[in-house]
Structure formats: C-alpha cells, structure tokens
Amino acid sequence: MSGYLGSLLGFSTEKIEKGDFILLSDRNADASFLINHFLSLYLRAGCKVCFLGLVQSFSHYSAVALRLGVNLVQAREQGQLVFLEGLKDSVSQLLQQGPNSEACPMGFLRGSQTDLRSLFRFVQRSVGGAGEWSPSILLVDDMSVLLSLGVSVGAILDFSHYCRTTVCHQLQGNMVMLVRVGEEEDDEEGPELLLKALTHQCSLALSVQGLPTGYCRDIHGQVEVRWKERGAGPGGALTQKKLLQYKVHDKGVSFFARGTSSAVL
C-alpha cells in the first residue's frame, strides 16, 4: 500500500488494525487497484486471507500481485491464502458440473433458496484455524456481482453481517468488500442501495471516483476516504473525511492530497 495512504489510515505490514470492516466502492472509475493493494498488504503482514474473487480469475490476481512483489501461488500452497474462483465455480454450478449445491460455495445458483449460507460456510471454514497466519482477513471482489446472480440486497446484507460478526468480532480480523455502482445515484433497488446499507456497517469507506474536471494524463482519479473515530460503536456515522488524488503505475499507486499535484489545476 502507498506510504501516504498507509500513514493516513494507520496501516502498515508492521501494524494491522484489527476488527475493521473496510468498504471500497467506485463510480465512473475502477477501484480494483485498492483490492490488489489490500491483498498484498495483508499477505506481506503474515495474515490469513480468504479471497472471494467473483470478478476475475486467480491467474489475473496472481499476475497483478507479482508486479507488486507478492506471489499468490506460493501463498496459496503454504495455506496463507484461500481463493474462491467465483467465475469458474459459477459456470460449473450453472452447467451442473460441480458438486451438490449444499457443499459448493456457489451452490445458491442451483439451490431452491437464494440465500448465501453455503458461501458463508466456506468463509467460516477458510478463516478459522489460521495457525501461524494471523489475523484472519476476508476480501470480496465484488459484492455487486451477487445482485446480477439473482441474490437480493437483503440476503447480501445478511451475509455481510454474519461475516463481520465472525471475522471482525469473533476472530478480531478485518473484512474488505468492494461494491461497484453506476452513474446514477437514485437506484434504490440495486448496487446503490447495497452501498448505502453497507456504509452504515463499515468502519472505513474508500470511494474511488473520476475527476470532476474530466480526463487528466497525470491524475487518474480521486479517492474519498471516510472513517469513524477508533472505538466508535457499530452503526455510527463516518465522521472523518479526506479527499485524495491518485495515479496508477505498473508497480503501484501514488496518492497525494488534493491540489498538491502540478498536473491538476
């Protein structure tokens, strides 16, 4: 993770805050770089990571991680990383080529119910018994995909609640989830509603947005960072706020306070 952003959030490989629910979102931009950087941060810090990759294949995340100096293949072989290849498992379920619905994490695609119990049981098995790797971390890329698979907002919120209770409270680990929203802000039935509800649950929210002034060669977008005061109870407002700008490089991301880059007028 960028030193600037890490210092702002209090994150480093030597110091991992515990019990946090970190919500990532993007609008007219791509927040994938934040998923990749949190993944590399937690693996470098020796955490046990359960990664629900619902958007890309393992080989995609692995190629990106290698550019950041992290070997996902090695981490998975050593038991530090548990990766769910959601795309592959979804196809297997839809074509009825996988195991029975009760045993498969994506079994809700063929089951009589569209709740996420099977996916939650996978998370429980993956984050429990971390052994030498600690604390436990859950990453999800991205939650809004579940909506397109026919899962209701309510069922996703139930899944998030149980994951937060298990990972953040019982195991004192962290949870990072990405939600992608469209250009419209009045979608009360889809990703926008999901984002609003999850924002009330999280302790830290990072929203990636395009520049309001349009395209810029040297600045790729901005990140609005909102967080609760340490020790604030669940459901409290995100009272602290800071706006950063960023530029994505092949091997990392540069963050800086808004207005401090000569490339932005």
Side-chain angles (χ1 to χ4, degrees):
M1 172 157 305
S2 160
Y4 184 88
L5 183 62
S7 62
L8 172 67
L9 302 179
F11 292 161
S12 71
T13 55
E14 292 78 27
K15 179 186 178 184
I16 297 293
E17 296 290 349
K18 299 179 180 180
D20 281 335
F21 172 17
I22 302 169
L23 180 63
L24 313 178
S25 65
D26 58 28
R27 188 189 304 276
N28 299 326
D30 185 359
S32 298
F33 68 91
L34 286 176
I35 281 284
N36 294 319
H37 279 268
F38 275 108
L39 175 61
S40 64
L41 168 73
Y42 288 130
L43 290 176
R44 289 179 186 273
C47 302
K48 175 68 177 287
V49 178
C50 172
F51 189 1
L52 306 185
L54 305 178
V55 178
Q56 301 286 354
S57 66
F58 178 80
S59 59
H60 167 83
Y61 295 109
S62 181
V64 175
L66 280 176
R67 294 203 298 269
L68 300 176
V70 177
N71 190 325
L72 296 194
V73 174
Q74 184 180 64
R76 186 166 65 172
E77 290 175 349
Q78 293 175 344
Q80 184 184 9
L81 171 67
V82 178
F83 183 85
L84 173 68
E85 195 145 4
L87 287 174
K88 181 178 179 180
D89 286 6
S90 296
V91 171
S92 296
Q93 285 298 306
L94 293 173
L95 297 179
Q96 299 188 359
Q97 295 175 346
N100 67 65
S101 299
E102 294 295 324
C104 179
M106 306 297 288
F108 62 88
L109 293 173
R110 271 202 289 156
S112 57
Q113 297 177 320
T114 55
D115 61 43
L116 300 173
R117 297 179 194 178
S118 57
L119 189 59
F120 173 65
R121 285 194 291 267
F122 174 83
V123 171
Q124 275 187 310
R125 294 193 302 269
S126 301
V127 298
E132 62 180 302
W133 312 109
S134 181
S136 294
I137 306 294
L138 171 63
L139 274 75
V140 186
D141 181 17
D142 72 80
M143 294 288 278
S144 48
V145 168
L146 296 171
L147 293 172
S148 64
L149 294 176
V151 183
S152 68
V153 171
I156 297 175
L157 293 176
D158 287 342
F159 171 74
S160 170
H161 170 74
Y162 286 117
C163 287
R164 183 162 57 97
T165 298
T166 299
V167 177
C168 300
H169 298 164
Q170 296 178 3
L171 299 176
Q172 282 298 293
N174 291 340
M175 187 167 76
V176 182
M177 293 181 169
L178 171 63
V179 176
R180 299 183 186 279
V181 293
E183 297 183 10
E184 301 297 328
E185 298 190 21
D186 58 354
D187 181 6
E188 294 299 329
E189 298 297 330
E192 194 71 45
L193 177 60
L194 178 62
L195 176 61
K196 290 178 180 178
L198 289 175
T199 299
H200 289 292
Q201 296 183 10
C202 74
S203 52
L204 171 66
L206 288 85
S207 176
V208 178
Q209 309 157 1
L211 290 172
T213 54
Y215 173 79
C216 177
R217 183 186 63 186
D218 296 315
I219 306 298
H220 293 156
Q222 61 186 26
V223 181
E224 183 183 77
V225 184
R226 292 178 294 156
W227 67 96
K228 296 177 183 177
E229 291 287 358
R230 183 62 59 181
L238 302 172
T239 57
Q240 307 298 309
K241 178 178 176 180
K242 193 171 185 67
L243 192 63
L244 308 176
Q245 292 174 333
Y246 70 90
K247 180 177 181 179
V248 180
H249 308 282
D250 286 340
K251 295 185 178 182
V253 183
S254 296
F255 291 93
F256 35 83
R258 184 181 181 186
T260 59
S261 169
S262 58
V264 179
L265 301 178

